[in-house]
Amino acid sequence: MADVIMDVRNLKKNFGPNQILKGINFKAYRGEVVCIIGASGSGKSTLLRCMNLLEIPTSGEIYFEGVNILDRSVDPMRLTTKMGMVFQQFNLFNNLTVLQNCVLGQTVVLKRPRNEARRTAMEYLEKVGMAQFINARPHQLSGGQKQRVAIARALSMEPDTLLFDEPTSALDPEMVGEVLKVIVSLAKTGLTMLVVTHEMDFAREVASRVVFMDGGVIAEENTPDVIFNNPKNDRTRAFLTRVLRKN
Amino acid sequence: MGYFIVNKYPEFLRGAGVTLLISITGTVVGFLIGLLIGVVRTIPMRTTDSKIKTAFLRVVKFILQAYIEIFRGTPMMVQAMVIYYGIASLFHVSMNQLFAGFFIVSVNTGAYMAEIVRGGIESVDRGQFEAAHTMGIRHGQTMRHIILPQAIRNILPAIGNEFVINIKDTSVLSVISVTELFFASNSIAGTYMAYFQTMIITCAVYFVLTFTVTRILRMVERKLDGPSNYAILNDSAISENAMEEGGV
Protein backbone atom coordinates (compact mmCIF):
# COMPACT_ATOMS: atom_id res chain seq x y z
CA MET A 1 0.00 0.00 0.00
CA ALA A 2 2.98 2.26 -0.26
CA ASP A 3 2.16 3.57 -3.72
CA VAL A 4 0.55 7.00 -3.26
CA ILE A 5 -1.66 7.84 -6.24
CA MET A 6 -3.30 11.01 -4.93
CA ASP A 7 -1.69 13.40 -2.51
CA VAL A 8 -3.60 16.52 -1.49
CA ARG A 9 -1.71 19.06 0.61
CA ASN A 10 -3.25 21.92 2.54
CA LEU A 11 -5.98 22.40 -0.05
CA LYS A 12 -8.18 25.46 0.31
CA LYS A 13 -11.09 26.56 -1.80
CA ASN A 14 -13.09 29.74 -1.45
CA PHE A 15 -16.31 30.58 -3.21
CA GLY A 16 -16.44 34.33 -2.77
CA PRO A 17 -16.29 35.00 0.95
CA ASN A 18 -17.12 31.41 1.88
CA GLN A 19 -14.29 29.05 2.55
CA ILE A 20 -15.54 25.60 1.59
CA LEU A 21 -12.27 23.70 2.02
CA LYS A 22 -10.18 24.84 4.96
CA GLY A 23 -6.90 23.07 4.44
CA ILE A 24 -7.37 19.46 3.41
CA ASN A 25 -4.54 16.96 3.71
CA PHE A 26 -5.38 13.66 2.13
CA LYS A 27 -3.62 10.71 0.59
CA ALA A 28 -4.99 7.87 -1.47
CA TYR A 29 -3.03 4.74 -2.25
CA ARG A 30 -3.21 2.66 -5.40
CA GLY A 31 -6.01 0.09 -5.28
CA GLU A 32 -7.77 1.70 -2.34
CA VAL A 33 -11.48 2.34 -2.09
CA VAL A 34 -11.97 5.49 -0.05
CA CYS A 35 -15.48 6.54 0.90
CA ILE A 36 -15.93 10.18 1.79
CA ILE A 37 -18.91 10.84 4.02
CA GLY A 38 -20.25 13.90 5.76
CA ALA A 39 -23.19 16.29 5.88
CA SER A 40 -24.29 18.36 2.89
CA GLY A 41 -22.09 21.43 2.55
CA SER A 42 -19.15 19.84 4.32
CA GLY A 43 -17.03 20.11 1.17
CA LYS A 44 -16.99 16.47 0.02
CA SER A 45 -18.03 17.17 -3.55
CA THR A 46 -15.84 20.25 -3.78
CA LEU A 47 -12.83 18.20 -2.73
CA LEU A 48 -13.57 15.65 -5.42
CA ARG A 49 -14.14 18.34 -8.04
CA CYS A 50 -10.84 20.00 -7.16
CA MET A 51 -9.03 16.72 -7.75
CA ASN A 52 -9.87 16.71 -11.43
CA LEU A 53 -9.87 20.48 -11.80
CA LEU A 54 -13.56 21.02 -12.28
CA GLU A 55 -12.90 23.58 -9.57
CA ILE A 56 -9.62 25.43 -9.38
CA PRO A 57 -8.44 25.42 -5.76
CA THR A 58 -7.66 28.73 -4.10
CA SER A 59 -4.42 27.39 -2.65
CA GLY A 60 -2.66 24.15 -1.86
CA GLU A 61 -1.20 21.34 -3.89
CA ILE A 62 -2.63 18.25 -5.52
CA TYR A 63 -0.21 15.56 -6.64
CA PHE A 64 -1.66 12.93 -8.92
CA GLU A 65 0.73 10.11 -9.73
CA GLY A 66 3.56 12.31 -8.50
CA VAL A 67 2.74 15.35 -10.65
CA ASN A 68 1.41 18.60 -9.23
CA ILE A 69 -1.68 19.10 -11.38
CA LEU A 70 -1.98 22.73 -10.34
CA ASP A 71 1.38 23.53 -11.91
CA ARG A 72 0.82 25.81 -14.90
CA SER A 73 3.25 23.91 -17.08
CA VAL A 74 1.22 20.71 -16.72
CA ASP A 75 -1.47 20.11 -19.30
CA PRO A 76 -4.49 19.43 -17.09
CA MET A 77 -6.44 17.64 -19.83
CA ARG A 78 -3.84 14.90 -20.15
CA LEU A 79 -4.07 14.22 -16.44
CA THR A 80 -7.81 14.24 -16.11
CA THR A 81 -7.93 11.50 -18.75
CA LYS A 82 -6.39 9.11 -16.24
CA MET A 83 -9.01 10.06 -13.68
CA GLY A 84 -12.54 9.04 -14.49
CA MET A 85 -15.55 10.63 -12.87
CA VAL A 86 -19.12 9.54 -12.29
CA PHE A 87 -21.56 12.32 -11.48
CA GLN A 88 -24.68 12.54 -9.39
CA GLN A 89 -26.64 13.74 -12.43
CA PHE A 90 -25.05 11.17 -14.80
CA ASN A 91 -24.17 13.86 -17.37
CA LEU A 92 -24.42 11.56 -20.35
CA PHE A 93 -24.03 13.14 -23.77
CA ASN A 94 -27.66 13.51 -24.75
CA ASN A 95 -27.14 13.68 -28.49
CA LEU A 96 -25.31 10.36 -28.61
CA THR A 97 -26.46 6.76 -28.19
CA VAL A 98 -25.29 4.64 -25.28
CA LEU A 99 -22.54 3.08 -27.39
CA GLN A 100 -21.42 6.41 -28.84
CA ASN A 101 -21.22 7.82 -25.32
CA CYS A 102 -18.67 5.15 -24.47
CA VAL A 103 -16.76 5.37 -27.77
CA LEU A 104 -16.30 9.12 -28.22
CA GLY A 105 -13.67 9.74 -25.55
CA GLN A 106 -11.64 6.76 -26.70
CA THR A 107 -11.45 7.84 -30.32
CA VAL A 108 -11.07 11.56 -29.73
CA VAL A 109 -8.73 11.60 -26.73
CA LEU A 110 -6.99 8.23 -26.71
CA LYS A 111 -6.93 8.04 -30.54
CA ARG A 112 -8.01 4.43 -30.45
CA PRO A 113 -9.20 2.97 -33.74
CA ARG A 114 -12.96 2.86 -33.94
CA ASN A 115 -13.12 -0.92 -33.90
CA GLU A 116 -11.05 -1.25 -30.81
CA ALA A 117 -13.01 1.52 -29.11
CA ARG A 118 -16.25 -0.29 -29.85
CA ARG A 119 -14.91 -3.54 -28.44
CA THR A 120 -13.70 -1.83 -25.28
CA ALA A 121 -17.01 -0.02 -24.90
CA MET A 122 -18.98 -3.22 -25.37
CA GLU A 123 -16.84 -5.00 -22.83
CA TYR A 124 -17.63 -2.44 -20.14
CA LEU A 125 -21.25 -2.05 -21.17
CA GLU A 126 -21.65 -5.78 -20.70
CA LYS A 127 -19.97 -5.52 -17.33
CA VAL A 128 -22.57 -3.00 -16.15
CA GLY A 129 -25.39 -4.93 -17.83
CA MET A 130 -26.24 -2.31 -20.43
CA ALA A 131 -25.07 -4.05 -23.62
CA GLN A 132 -28.65 -4.59 -24.74
CA PHE A 133 -29.30 -0.89 -24.81
CA ILE A 134 -26.42 0.36 -26.93
CA ASN A 135 -28.72 2.00 -29.47
CA ALA A 136 -30.82 3.85 -26.93
CA ARG A 137 -30.40 7.53 -26.24
CA PRO A 138 -29.98 8.80 -22.67
CA HIS A 139 -33.49 10.28 -22.41
CA GLN A 140 -34.94 6.85 -23.14
CA LEU A 141 -33.29 5.26 -20.09
CA SER A 142 -34.12 5.12 -16.39
CA GLY A 143 -31.88 6.81 -13.85
CA GLY A 144 -30.21 3.59 -12.79
CA GLN A 145 -29.55 2.63 -16.40
CA LYS A 146 -28.10 6.05 -17.14
CA GLN A 147 -25.76 5.82 -14.20
CA ARG A 148 -24.58 2.37 -15.26
CA VAL A 149 -23.86 3.74 -18.74
CA ALA A 150 -22.00 6.66 -17.15
CA ILE A 151 -19.86 4.16 -15.24
CA ALA A 152 -19.17 2.20 -18.43
CA ARG A 153 -18.26 5.44 -20.19
CA ALA A 154 -15.76 6.33 -17.49
CA LEU A 155 -14.31 2.79 -17.51
CA SER A 156 -13.95 2.80 -21.29
CA MET A 157 -11.22 5.40 -20.89
CA GLU A 158 -9.41 2.87 -18.70
CA PRO A 159 -8.50 5.36 -15.98
CA ASP A 160 -6.21 4.67 -13.03
CA THR A 161 -8.60 6.28 -10.60
CA LEU A 162 -12.34 6.63 -10.59
CA LEU A 163 -14.08 9.42 -8.69
CA PHE A 164 -17.74 9.01 -7.75
CA ASP A 165 -19.67 12.11 -6.75
CA GLU A 166 -22.77 10.84 -4.94
CA PRO A 167 -23.51 8.31 -7.68
CA THR A 168 -26.81 7.16 -6.20
CA SER A 169 -28.21 10.37 -4.71
CA ALA A 170 -30.34 11.23 -7.75
CA LEU A 171 -31.79 7.74 -8.10
CA ASP A 172 -35.11 6.29 -7.08
CA PRO A 173 -34.63 4.00 -4.08
CA GLU A 174 -35.26 0.81 -6.07
CA MET A 175 -32.51 1.72 -8.53
CA VAL A 176 -29.81 2.40 -5.97
CA GLY A 177 -29.11 -1.30 -5.62
CA GLU A 178 -28.30 -1.98 -9.26
CA VAL A 179 -25.77 0.86 -9.36
CA LEU A 180 -24.15 -0.02 -6.05
CA LYS A 181 -23.81 -3.62 -7.21
CA VAL A 182 -21.76 -2.42 -10.17
CA ILE A 183 -19.55 -0.25 -7.97
CA VAL A 184 -19.01 -3.11 -5.52
CA SER A 185 -17.91 -5.37 -8.36
CA LEU A 186 -15.45 -2.69 -9.51
CA ALA A 187 -14.02 -2.40 -6.02
CA LYS A 188 -12.88 -5.99 -6.33
CA THR A 189 -10.91 -5.32 -9.54
CA GLY A 190 -8.25 -3.25 -7.79
CA LEU A 191 -9.21 0.07 -9.35
CA THR A 192 -8.51 3.05 -7.10
CA MET A 193 -11.84 4.61 -6.21
CA LEU A 194 -12.83 7.70 -4.27
CA VAL A 195 -16.52 7.67 -3.52
CA VAL A 196 -18.50 10.52 -2.03
CA THR A 197 -21.61 8.83 -0.72
CA HIS A 198 -24.53 8.93 1.65
CA GLU A 199 -24.94 5.14 1.49
CA MET A 200 -23.49 4.12 4.82
CA ASP A 201 -24.03 0.39 4.33
CA PHE A 202 -22.18 0.59 1.06
CA ALA A 203 -19.29 2.46 2.69
CA ARG A 204 -19.14 -0.06 5.48
CA GLU A 205 -19.07 -2.93 3.01
CA VAL A 206 -16.60 -1.83 0.34
CA ALA A 207 -14.44 0.94 1.75
CA SER A 208 -10.86 0.20 2.68
CA ARG A 209 -10.91 3.55 4.43
CA VAL A 210 -13.62 6.03 5.37
CA VAL A 211 -13.04 9.77 5.50
CA PHE A 212 -15.47 11.88 7.47
CA MET A 213 -15.60 15.54 6.46
CA ASP A 214 -17.16 18.28 8.52
CA GLY A 215 -17.16 22.03 7.93
CA GLY A 216 -14.45 21.97 5.25
CA VAL A 217 -11.94 19.81 7.09
CA ILE A 218 -11.32 16.10 7.43
CA ALA A 219 -12.56 15.45 10.94
CA GLU A 220 -11.68 11.79 11.05
CA GLU A 221 -10.40 9.03 8.81
CA ASN A 222 -10.04 5.39 9.60
CA THR A 223 -11.14 1.90 8.63
CA PRO A 224 -14.90 1.49 8.26
CA ASP A 225 -14.88 -0.73 11.31
CA VAL A 226 -13.53 2.05 13.55
CA ILE A 227 -15.58 4.84 11.96
CA PHE A 228 -18.90 3.05 12.16
CA ASN A 229 -18.46 1.08 15.37
CA ASN A 230 -16.11 3.12 17.45
CA PRO A 231 -15.61 6.67 16.11
CA LYS A 232 -13.04 8.73 17.95
CA ASN A 233 -14.48 12.10 17.06
CA ASP A 234 -17.70 13.39 18.62
CA ARG A 235 -18.76 15.04 15.39
CA THR A 236 -18.43 11.74 13.53
CA ARG A 237 -20.53 10.08 16.16
CA ALA A 238 -23.19 12.80 15.99
CA PHE A 239 -23.32 12.62 12.22
CA LEU A 240 -23.62 8.86 12.12
CA THR A 241 -26.31 8.82 14.78
CA ARG A 242 -28.25 11.34 12.69
CA VAL A 243 -28.02 9.52 9.37
CA LEU A 244 -28.29 5.98 10.68
CA ARG A 245 -31.40 6.72 12.68
CA LYS A 246 -33.07 7.80 9.47
CA ASN A 247 -32.59 4.41 7.84
CA MET B 1 -53.35 42.62 -61.75
CA GLY B 2 -53.58 39.70 -64.15
CA TYR B 3 -51.74 41.85 -66.65
CA PHE B 4 -48.71 42.17 -64.39
CA ILE B 5 -48.65 38.49 -63.57
CA VAL B 6 -48.83 37.45 -67.22
CA ASN B 7 -46.46 40.04 -68.63
CA LYS B 8 -44.10 40.89 -65.82
CA TYR B 9 -43.57 37.53 -64.17
CA PRO B 10 -39.93 37.26 -65.34
CA GLU B 11 -39.09 40.42 -63.39
CA PHE B 12 -40.89 39.19 -60.29
CA LEU B 13 -39.24 35.81 -60.53
CA ARG B 14 -35.79 37.25 -61.07
CA GLY B 15 -36.35 39.57 -58.11
CA ALA B 16 -37.54 36.65 -55.98
CA GLY B 17 -34.48 34.70 -57.08
CA VAL B 18 -32.11 37.46 -55.98
CA THR B 19 -33.99 37.83 -52.70
CA LEU B 20 -33.78 34.12 -52.02
CA LEU B 21 -30.13 33.95 -53.03
CA ILE B 22 -29.12 36.82 -50.77
CA SER B 23 -31.17 35.61 -47.82
CA ILE B 24 -29.93 32.03 -48.10
CA THR B 25 -26.31 33.10 -48.43
CA GLY B 26 -26.72 35.69 -45.70
CA THR B 27 -28.33 33.22 -43.32
CA VAL B 28 -25.82 30.45 -43.98
CA VAL B 29 -22.73 32.67 -43.80
CA GLY B 30 -24.23 34.56 -40.85
CA PHE B 31 -24.83 31.25 -39.10
CA LEU B 32 -21.22 30.19 -39.67
CA ILE B 33 -20.00 33.52 -38.32
CA GLY B 34 -22.31 33.11 -35.35
CA LEU B 35 -21.12 29.56 -34.75
CA LEU B 36 -17.48 30.59 -34.75
CA ILE B 37 -18.09 33.54 -32.45
CA GLY B 38 -20.33 31.51 -30.17
CA VAL B 39 -17.63 28.87 -29.73
CA VAL B 40 -14.87 31.42 -29.14
CA ARG B 41 -16.92 33.39 -26.65
CA THR B 42 -17.64 30.31 -24.57
CA ILE B 43 -14.00 29.26 -24.24
CA PRO B 44 -13.54 28.98 -20.48
CA MET B 45 -10.97 31.30 -18.91
CA ARG B 46 -9.16 29.50 -16.13
CA THR B 47 -6.96 31.02 -13.50
CA THR B 48 -4.38 28.35 -14.30
CA ASP B 49 -4.02 29.56 -17.89
CA SER B 50 -0.95 31.55 -18.84
CA LYS B 51 -1.22 35.36 -18.73
CA ILE B 52 -0.68 35.69 -22.47
CA LYS B 53 -3.50 33.32 -23.30
CA THR B 54 -5.84 35.08 -20.89
CA ALA B 55 -4.97 38.53 -22.26
CA PHE B 56 -5.35 37.36 -25.86
CA LEU B 57 -8.73 35.82 -25.13
CA ARG B 58 -9.87 39.00 -23.41
CA VAL B 59 -9.00 41.13 -26.44
CA VAL B 60 -10.63 38.75 -28.91
CA LYS B 61 -13.78 38.50 -26.81
CA PHE B 62 -13.93 42.30 -26.53
CA ILE B 63 -13.66 42.75 -30.30
CA LEU B 64 -16.38 40.17 -30.91
CA GLN B 65 -18.62 41.83 -28.35
CA ALA B 66 -18.11 45.18 -30.08
CA TYR B 67 -18.97 43.68 -33.47
CA ILE B 68 -22.18 42.20 -32.10
CA GLU B 69 -23.26 45.40 -30.38
CA ILE B 70 -22.57 47.62 -33.39
CA PHE B 71 -24.26 45.47 -35.99
CA ARG B 72 -27.25 44.67 -33.82
CA GLY B 73 -27.58 48.24 -32.68
CA THR B 74 -27.79 49.96 -36.06
CA PRO B 75 -30.33 49.50 -38.88
CA MET B 76 -29.29 47.26 -41.75
CA MET B 77 -30.43 49.90 -44.25
CA VAL B 78 -27.99 52.40 -42.80
CA GLN B 79 -25.23 49.79 -42.64
CA ALA B 80 -25.83 49.06 -46.32
CA MET B 81 -25.46 52.75 -47.20
CA VAL B 82 -22.40 53.25 -45.00
CA ILE B 83 -20.60 50.20 -46.36
CA TYR B 84 -21.58 50.61 -50.00
CA TYR B 85 -21.11 54.37 -50.34
CA GLY B 86 -18.34 54.47 -47.77
CA ILE B 87 -16.18 52.07 -49.73
CA ALA B 88 -17.06 53.87 -52.95
CA SER B 89 -15.90 57.26 -51.66
CA LEU B 90 -12.89 56.02 -49.67
CA PHE B 91 -11.34 53.72 -52.22
CA HIS B 92 -12.97 55.07 -55.37
CA VAL B 93 -14.19 51.64 -56.32
CA SER B 94 -17.80 50.73 -56.64
CA MET B 95 -18.64 47.38 -55.20
CA ASN B 96 -20.74 44.94 -57.12
CA GLN B 97 -24.22 45.53 -55.66
CA LEU B 98 -25.04 41.88 -55.36
CA PHE B 99 -21.78 41.20 -53.55
CA ALA B 100 -22.42 44.16 -51.26
CA GLY B 101 -25.82 42.63 -50.55
CA PHE B 102 -24.31 39.26 -49.62
CA PHE B 103 -21.75 40.94 -47.43
CA ILE B 104 -24.11 43.20 -45.52
CA VAL B 105 -26.77 40.59 -44.86
CA SER B 106 -24.14 38.04 -43.78
CA VAL B 107 -22.36 40.36 -41.40
CA ASN B 108 -25.60 41.66 -39.96
CA THR B 109 -27.05 38.17 -39.50
CA GLY B 110 -23.75 37.04 -37.99
CA ALA B 111 -24.18 39.48 -35.14
CA TYR B 112 -27.63 38.13 -34.30
CA MET B 113 -26.59 34.53 -34.83
CA ALA B 114 -23.66 34.93 -32.46
CA GLU B 115 -26.08 35.69 -29.66
CA ILE B 116 -28.48 32.95 -30.73
CA VAL B 117 -25.65 30.39 -30.81
CA ARG B 118 -24.38 31.54 -27.42
CA GLY B 119 -27.87 31.06 -26.02
CA GLY B 120 -27.99 27.62 -27.61
CA ILE B 121 -24.65 26.61 -26.15
CA GLU B 122 -25.63 27.84 -22.71
CA SER B 123 -28.91 25.93 -22.93
CA VAL B 124 -27.00 22.63 -22.91
CA ASP B 125 -26.53 21.73 -19.28
CA ARG B 126 -23.11 22.33 -17.76
CA GLY B 127 -22.84 18.74 -16.65
CA GLN B 128 -22.04 17.57 -20.17
CA PHE B 129 -19.14 20.05 -20.41
CA GLU B 130 -17.92 18.73 -17.08
CA ALA B 131 -18.21 15.11 -18.13
CA ALA B 132 -16.26 15.87 -21.31
CA HIS B 133 -13.64 17.70 -19.25
CA THR B 134 -13.14 14.73 -16.95
CA MET B 135 -12.61 12.53 -20.01
CA GLY B 136 -9.94 14.86 -21.32
CA ILE B 137 -11.97 16.03 -24.31
CA ARG B 138 -10.89 19.55 -25.25
CA HIS B 139 -13.17 22.56 -25.68
CA GLY B 140 -13.25 22.45 -29.49
CA GLN B 141 -13.96 18.73 -29.64
CA THR B 142 -16.56 18.96 -26.89
CA MET B 143 -18.28 21.64 -28.92
CA ARG B 144 -18.09 19.73 -32.16
CA HIS B 145 -19.21 16.32 -31.00
CA ILE B 146 -21.44 17.04 -28.03
CA ILE B 147 -22.55 20.59 -27.42
CA LEU B 148 -23.13 22.09 -30.87
CA PRO B 149 -25.30 19.24 -32.19
CA GLN B 150 -27.62 19.82 -29.23
CA ALA B 151 -27.31 23.59 -29.33
CA ILE B 152 -28.10 23.76 -33.06
CA ARG B 153 -31.15 21.57 -32.60
CA ASN B 154 -32.33 23.88 -29.84
CA ILE B 155 -31.81 27.06 -31.85
CA LEU B 156 -33.27 25.85 -35.15
CA PRO B 157 -36.53 27.75 -34.56
CA ALA B 158 -34.53 30.92 -33.94
CA ILE B 159 -32.44 30.30 -37.07
CA GLY B 160 -35.67 29.87 -38.99
CA ASN B 161 -36.78 33.23 -37.63
CA GLU B 162 -33.59 34.84 -38.86
CA PHE B 163 -34.05 33.29 -42.27
CA VAL B 164 -37.60 34.59 -42.58
CA ILE B 165 -36.54 38.02 -41.38
CA ASN B 166 -33.73 38.01 -43.93
CA ILE B 167 -36.07 37.17 -46.79
CA LYS B 168 -38.15 40.19 -45.90
CA ASP B 169 -35.34 42.50 -44.87
CA THR B 170 -33.32 42.12 -48.04
CA SER B 171 -35.86 44.63 -49.31
CA VAL B 172 -33.85 47.37 -47.60
CA LEU B 173 -31.01 46.60 -50.00
CA SER B 174 -33.05 48.39 -52.63
CA VAL B 175 -31.42 51.56 -51.26
CA ILE B 176 -28.18 50.45 -52.85
CA SER B 177 -29.98 49.27 -55.98
CA VAL B 178 -29.71 45.54 -55.44
CA THR B 179 -32.29 44.16 -57.85
CA GLU B 180 -34.10 42.00 -55.35
CA LEU B 181 -37.84 41.44 -55.26
CA PHE B 182 -38.86 44.76 -53.73
CA PHE B 183 -36.58 46.75 -56.04
CA ALA B 184 -37.98 44.90 -59.05
CA SER B 185 -41.61 45.39 -58.06
CA ASN B 186 -41.02 49.00 -57.15
CA SER B 187 -39.68 49.67 -60.65
CA ILE B 188 -42.68 47.98 -62.25
CA ALA B 189 -45.07 49.83 -59.96
CA GLY B 190 -43.35 53.12 -60.75
CA THR B 191 -43.39 52.53 -64.48
CA TYR B 192 -47.08 51.65 -64.63
CA MET B 193 -48.20 53.74 -61.68
CA ALA B 194 -49.89 50.64 -60.29
CA TYR B 195 -48.62 50.33 -56.73
CA PHE B 196 -51.51 48.44 -55.24
CA GLN B 197 -51.58 45.65 -57.81
CA THR B 198 -47.84 45.10 -57.96
CA MET B 199 -47.38 45.22 -54.22
CA ILE B 200 -50.15 42.69 -53.66
CA ILE B 201 -48.30 40.35 -56.02
CA THR B 202 -45.05 41.12 -54.20
CA CYS B 203 -46.67 40.31 -50.85
CA ALA B 204 -47.85 36.98 -52.22
CA VAL B 205 -44.40 36.12 -53.52
CA TYR B 206 -42.76 37.01 -50.17
CA PHE B 207 -45.33 34.93 -48.36
CA VAL B 208 -44.78 31.90 -50.58
CA LEU B 209 -41.03 32.19 -49.99
CA THR B 210 -41.24 32.48 -46.22
CA PHE B 211 -43.95 29.86 -45.85
CA THR B 212 -41.99 27.32 -47.88
CA VAL B 213 -38.86 28.00 -45.88
CA THR B 214 -40.58 27.55 -42.53
CA ARG B 215 -42.12 24.24 -43.67
CA ILE B 216 -38.74 22.96 -44.82
CA LEU B 217 -37.10 23.95 -41.53
CA ARG B 218 -39.81 22.17 -39.57
CA MET B 219 -39.03 19.02 -41.55
CA VAL B 220 -35.33 19.37 -40.79
CA GLU B 221 -36.16 19.69 -37.08
CA ARG B 222 -38.16 16.48 -37.11
CA LYS B 223 -35.39 14.70 -38.96
CA LEU B 224 -32.81 15.84 -36.41
CA ASP B 225 -34.92 14.55 -33.53
CA GLY B 226 -34.21 11.02 -34.72
CA PRO B 227 -36.24 7.90 -34.09
CA SER B 228 -38.29 7.84 -30.91
CA ASN B 229 -37.76 4.11 -30.40
CA TYR B 230 -34.77 1.88 -30.05
CA ALA B 231 -34.28 -1.85 -30.42
CA ILE B 232 -33.19 -3.91 -27.45
CA LEU B 233 -30.51 -6.31 -28.62
CA ASN B 234 -30.40 -10.00 -27.78
CA ASP B 235 -27.16 -11.83 -27.01
CA SER B 236 -26.22 -12.77 -30.57
CA ALA B 237 -26.87 -9.22 -31.77
CA ILE B 238 -24.67 -7.90 -28.99
CA SER B 239 -21.67 -9.98 -29.98
CA GLU B 240 -22.22 -9.13 -33.65
CA ASN B 241 -22.37 -5.49 -32.80
CA ALA B 242 -19.13 -5.60 -30.90
CA MET B 243 -17.38 -6.92 -34.00
CA GLU B 244 -18.92 -4.90 -36.75
CA GLU B 245 -17.41 -1.67 -37.94
CA GLY B 246 -19.03 1.66 -38.68
CA GLY B 247 -22.41 2.86 -37.61
CA VAL B 248 -21.05 4.81 -34.69
Side-chain angles (χ1 to χ4, degrees), chain B residues 186-222:
Chain B
N186 211 16
S187 329
I188 299 169
T191 315
Y192 293 88
M193 288 311 282
Y195 279 93
F196 179 66
Q197 292 93 322
T198 35
M199 288 306 159
I200 284 285
I201 297 171
T202 311
C203 270
V205 178
Y206 272 120
F207 183 78
V208 169
L209 290 182
T210 53
F211 190 74
T212 315
V213 163
T214 47
R215 291 298 102 179
I216 292 173
L217 280 170
R218 191 71 199 99
M219 265 164 54
V220 174
E221 271 178 48
R222 272 199 290 267

Side-chain angles (χ1 to χ4, degrees), chain B residues 119-197:
Chain B
I121 290 172
E122 284 169 7
S123 75
V124 179
D125 73 302
R126 278 224 62 78
Q128 294 183 52
F129 283 92
E130 293 189 345
H133 170 92
T134 62
M135 293 166 78
I137 306 176
R138 287 169 196 284
H139 183 73
Q141 291 167 328
T142 307
M143 282 291 164
R144 190 175 129 210
H145 296 289
I146 301 157
I147 307 300
L148 287 182
Q150 297 176 61
I152 290 172
R153 168 62 191 89
N154 291 346
I155 63 176
L156 262 186
I159 293 175
N161 255 347
E162 277 303 309
F163 198 173
V164 168
I165 289 171
N166 275 342
I167 291 176
K168 297 182 295 175
D169 280 7
T170 46
S171 57
V172 305
L173 295 175
S174 59
V175 297
I176 56 167
S177 313
V178 177
T179 56
E180 42 67 57
L181 180 55
F182 178 72
F183 188 85
S185 10
N186 211 16
S187 329
I188 299 169
T191 315
Y192 293 88
M193 288 311 282
Y195 279 93
F196 179 66
Q197 292 93 322

Side-chain angles (χ1 to χ4, degrees), chain A residues 49 75 80 94-95 114 118, chain B residues 128 130 134 138 241 248:
Chain A
R49 290 167 62 83
D75 180 1
T80 53
N94 288 327
N95 59 321
R114 202 161 284 267
R118 281 174 73 97
Chain B
Q128 294 183 52
E130 293 189 345
T134 62
R138 287 169 196 284
N241 218 296
V248 175

